[in-house]
Amino acid sequence: LARLHPDDLPAAAAEAQAFFDGLSGERLSQELRVRVQTGEWRWFISKGRILQRDAQTGEPLVAAGVIVDVHQQKAMESQLAEAQLLGRTGSWSVPLESDLFTVSRGLCHLVGLEPDTATVESARLLARHQTSHEQVLDAVAPETRSAYLALLRG
């Protein structure tokens, strides 16, 4: 924990504690900045899983995980976000393992949306793959609906 970035430490420690206590499921996934041997801060994804718990106490007995260096990917994401704002483009993604629909700052800027609750609600509707166009349109804030429709029309 001593190598974790100070801004990441509180959330990372709380998520890890909840994971080991069985309060957040049997899987953990965190994006963290870690100080490496050169002194540089690098981004990593840490994924863990509880493999066995004590049947009586629920205490974890066996856990395993991996840590992947994603520093270059994070740098490219940052460059893409800047380029999207300058080039008036945007992007979205839907990780297959979750229902979280993510939109870029560029996309929010283009359609006049703030990444707020309305955006998240419309995103979650879309990500479920059972959403009609009308439901998505209803989730877009009325004051930005015309900009959203213009973006869809290209």
Side-chain angles (χ1 to χ4, degrees):
L1 290 177
R3 290 182 174 255
L4 286 183
H5 192 282
D7 293 344
D8 298 341
L9 184 58
E15 289 171 6
Q17 188 63 53
F19 168 67
F20 286 114
D21 289 346
L23 303 175
S24 62
E26 297 299 304
R27 294 179 188 268
L28 175 70
S29 181
Q30 299 174 305
E31 288 190 6
L32 309 161
R33 288 168 287 183
V34 177
R35 187 181 300 276
V36 295
Q37 192 171 9
T38 63
E40 173 188 17
W41 290 107
R42 293 190 64 86
W43 281 99
F44 291 86
I45 289 181
S46 175
K47 292 187 178 254
R49 182 173 180 200
I50 301 294
L51 300 175
Q52 183 180 8
R53 288 189 181 273
D54 182 280
Q56 294 177 346
T57 67
E59 292 292 315
L61 299 175
V62 180
V66 297
I67 296 177
V68 179
D69 184 333
V70 294
H71 190 76
Q72 188 170 356
Q73 176 184 340
K74 286 294 227 179
M76 288 189 295
E77 287 172 0
S78 178
Q79 291 171 355
L80 175 62
E82 289 178 31
Q84 286 178 345
L85 288 174
L86 291 173
R88 300 195 44 80
T89 62
S91 63
W92 57 268
S93 66
V94 181
L96 298 178
E97 69 272 4
S98 75
D99 70 345
L100 181 62
F101 183 93
T102 304
V103 296
S104 68
R105 288 183 314 160
L107 182 58
C108 288
H109 178 74
L110 281 174
V111 298
L113 295 174
E114 292 294 324
D116 59 9
T117 305
T119 304
V120 172
E121 287 173 6
S122 66
R124 289 195 175 149
L125 286 172
L126 262 180
R128 289 191 184 111
H129 304 289
Q130 300 173 355
T131 304
S132 71
H133 177 72
E134 290 76 23
Q135 287 173 303
V136 173
L137 199 53
D138 287 344
V140 175
E143 63 273 12
T144 60
R145 197 166 289 143
S146 62
Y148 177 78
L149 288 169
L151 178 66
L152 291 178
R153 284 189 290 269

